Amino acid sequence: MKNISIFGTSSDTGKSTLTFVIAKLLQEKGVSTIAFKAQNVSNNSQVADDGTEIAISTHFQNSVLGVETSYHVNPVLLKSGAKNAASLIIKGREMGEKDVKNYYKDLDTLKPIVKESFSHLSYQYDCVVAEGAGGCVELNLLEKDLSNTFIADTFDTKIILVADIEKGGVFASVYGTVALLQEKFKENLIGVVINKFRGDRSLFDDGVKIIEERFGVPVLGVLPYIPLNIGFEDSASLQNYAQNQKGDIKVGIIKLPHISNFNDFEPLIIDEELEVAFITSNLDAYDWIIIPGSKRVVSDLLWMKHNGLFEALLAYEKKIIGICGGYEMMFETIIDETGIESEISHTKGLGFIKGKVYFSDEKVVKKSQFKFHNMSLKGYEIHYAKSVEYPLFYENESVFGTFVHGIFDNDAFRNYLFGDGYIGYSFEQRKSEILDTFINTMGKHLDMDRVMNSIETL
């Protein structure tokens, strides 16, 4: 059976979503599948089942499939670094920072790693569904590509192209992309999916006819625009969430420049008792303020000092929550003497917590069950900074902080945090219901028979 590459006409067309939708629909047809992305560029990461660090979007895709994760599903991950550098995570392990220009110069050294991971998965599963990156025909970047044409060429994958009709110019983007594909890829193209369509689907019947008859490209489906509100990949997808605005509890999340792991807040976004907003001002309009994770803690702390948020937090009289990087900002002092994350060795924090956090050369990457009061909470840690006095949690009447990501996934913790008057709900159950409805809806609009026929081999 052939593997599949999901190509996009541009960034943010919905490749990540289509990857798990296609993979899940194949799985429901009896095909063992796994989601893969050769190279992710994201500050949002998770701890895989093998204890390594992978992009949160790839982790989410495979959680939908219910398969175990390892670094093989995402062998290369890039995170924000200082200035023009990127933080490299190779085979799930931090390898330090590298200038982006030098990273691309040494790209050939990563290709064997990507090939080994893909081959490993291809041996274990009937079909690997490989998510591409950005636009698949950025001609000036083809030699630097690991996720699109490199995978499709090396492993002769079948290709599904996805185009975002909401951006406008969908005909030009489909026609231009297909025209620029190499002949080998054109031959392996199963068809195109038109994504994020709003309104009456029949209004695009002529559009389908144009793409199929004039461009010679089968249309595999025209997918409706449905806000998913879970599985956010990056800050672009974060802008697309649609949330109930009638909740009695108002939660403001500081939108840091280097915000990371904002998937932490998906249980809050889909909570009908809450009204959630990502904010940069007007803190007093909210009952709770959350300082989220950050890939550049000191830089984001200085940003808050510059724009007045630092002083506003000090004056805020309701409850403040800090998660990982946000937790680190709550201490009196942040110490980074070896320059793990910043060139500034000592930085004054908010001072909500007496004491200091210090950056260690040893990165904590851990998935576990954590004890808090009488609760056993599932979650994970990804951080360099450490506190001797408060290694996991801190709490007083006005402040709660923790290094643990995924803590809001725990129903018991949300019930404890929001207290009397908060009813609560089962996050896992609602998440499952949302995904089932979403996938089933998309499946009604996708020609999966064509996909199956295209990947089956004699």
Side-chain angles (χ1 to χ4, degrees), residues 5-7 15 37-39 103-104 107-108 110-111 114 131-154 182 185:
S5 287
I6 307 293
F7 281 7
K15 294 184 295 295
K37 189 165 184 178
Q39 174 189 279
Y103 167 79
Y104 283 120
L107 202 64
D108 284 346
L110 298 177
K111 290 180 178 179
V114 170
E131 180 190 347
C136 62
V137 288
E138 303 295 340
L139 301 183
N140 59 317
L141 298 176
L142 290 183
E143 294 301 317
K144 302 177 179 66
D145 167 61
L146 285 178
S147 298
N148 294 308
T149 54
F150 174 69
I151 292 295
D153 185 36
T154 305
Q182 295 177 30
F185 303 139

Side-chain angles (χ1 to χ4, degrees), residues 283 287-291 312-314 316-322 330 350 352 397-401:
L283 272 57
D287 304 309
W288 298 74
I289 295 296
I290 299 177
I291 312 173
L313 284 166
L314 293 178
Y316 186 74
E317 296 181 346
K318 303 171 192 175
K319 191 88 170 188
I320 300 175
I321 303 169
M330 289 178 158
L350 288 159
F352 295 145
E397 291 182 357
S398 59
V399 166
F400 172 83

Side-chain angles (χ1 to χ4, degrees), residues 128-241:
V128 179
V129 183
E131 180 190 347
C136 62
V137 288
E138 303 295 340
L139 301 183
N140 59 317
L141 298 176
L142 290 183
E143 294 301 317
K144 302 177 179 66
D145 167 61
L146 285 178
S147 298
N148 294 308
T149 54
F150 174 69
I151 292 295
D153 185 36
T154 305
F155 295 99
D156 194 32
T157 60
K158 290 292 184 178
I159 297 167
I160 295 174
L161 180 66
V162 55
D164 179 2
I165 196 169
E166 194 175 41
K167 295 179 185 295
V170 71
F171 298 107
S173 65
V174 172
Y175 181 84
T177 299
V178 174
L180 291 172
L181 285 174
Q182 295 177 30
E183 286 303 317
K184 176 181 180 177
F185 303 139
K186 290 180 185 178
E187 292 171 4
N188 278 336
L189 181 63
I190 300 173
V192 62
V193 172
I194 306 300
N195 198 21
K196 305 180 189 176
F197 186 85
R198 297 176 188 258
D200 185 347
R201 159 66 179 80
S202 65
L203 296 175
F204 198 68
D205 285 348
D206 287 343
V208 171
K209 191 177 296 186
I210 290 168
I211 293 171
E212 292 191 331
E213 294 181 1
R214 293 180 57 180
F215 301 171
V217 179
V219 175
L220 300 176
V222 179
L223 304 186
Y225 176 82
I226 302 175
L228 184 56
N229 290 342
I230 52 177
F232 296 128
E233 178 184 17
D234 52 30
S235 57
S237 60
L238 188 65
Q239 304 310 311
N240 294 326
Y241 84 94

Side-chain angles (χ1 to χ4, degrees), residues 288 319 372-375 395 400 410-420 422:
W288 298 74
K319 191 88 170 188
F372 179 69
H373 293 318
N374 62 342
M375 295 175 280
E395 183 182 34
F400 172 83
N410 297 273
D411 301 339
F413 176 76
R414 294 194 314 279
N415 292 337
Y416 165 81
L417 192 70
F418 294 121
D420 295 339
Y422 175 75

Side-chain angles (χ1 to χ4, degrees), residues 375-395:
M375 295 175 280
S376 179
L377 307 175
K378 68 177 183 179
Y380 63 98
E381 298 176 74
I382 301 178
H383 56 93
Y384 276 108
K386 298 176 182 177
S387 165
V388 174
E389 296 89 350
Y390 308 105
L392 277 179
F393 303 100
Y394 175 87
E395 183 182 34

Side-chain angles (χ1 to χ4, degrees), residues 255-409:
K255 191 180 177 184
L256 300 171
H258 301 95
I259 185 173
S260 67
N261 289 60
F262 38 70
N263 303 72
D264 283 339
F265 313 116
E266 289 171 3
L268 308 183
I269 289 173
I270 65 174
D271 190 333
E272 294 176 357
E273 295 181 73
L274 308 182
E275 180 181 327
V276 178
F278 290 84
I279 62 174
T280 56
S281 62
N282 197 23
L283 272 57
D284 289 332
Y286 298 90
D287 304 309
W288 298 74
I289 295 296
I290 299 177
I291 312 173
S294 167
K295 184 60 182 70
R296 313 297 299 175
V297 174
V298 171
S299 174
D300 283 352
L301 187 61
L302 295 176
W303 171 81
M304 289 203 300
K305 290 179 179 180
H306 178 74
N307 66 15
L309 277 172
F310 186 91
E311 292 298 325
L313 284 166
L314 293 178
Y316 186 74
E317 296 181 346
K318 303 171 192 175
K319 191 88 170 188
I320 300 175
I321 303 169
I323 306 294
C324 199
Y327 180 43
E328 296 162 23
M329 296 180 191
M330 289 178 158
F331 286 80
E332 290 178 305
T333 310
I334 300 171
I335 299 174
D336 186 4
E337 293 182 335
T338 57
I340 297 295
E341 190 183 282
S342 172
E343 296 176 355
I344 303 173
S345 61
H346 290 66
T347 305
K348 180 182 177 182
L350 288 159
F352 295 145
I353 306 172
K354 301 301 180 185
K356 61 190 178 183
V357 290
Y358 64 95
F359 278 81
S360 164
D361 291 338
E362 182 181 353
K363 188 175 188 179
V364 177
V365 179
K366 180 182 180 183
K367 181 184 289 187
S368 186
Q369 294 284 128
F370 301 90
K371 290 290 184 182
F372 179 69
H373 293 318
N374 62 342
M375 295 175 280
S376 179
L377 307 175
K378 68 177 183 179
Y380 63 98
E381 298 176 74
I382 301 178
H383 56 93
Y384 276 108
K386 298 176 182 177
S387 165
V388 174
E389 296 89 350
Y390 308 105
L392 277 179
F393 303 100
Y394 175 87
E395 183 182 34
N396 63 26
E397 291 182 357
S398 59
V399 166
F400 172 83
T402 182
F403 277 119
V404 180
H405 289 290
I407 195 166
F408 295 115
D409 291 18

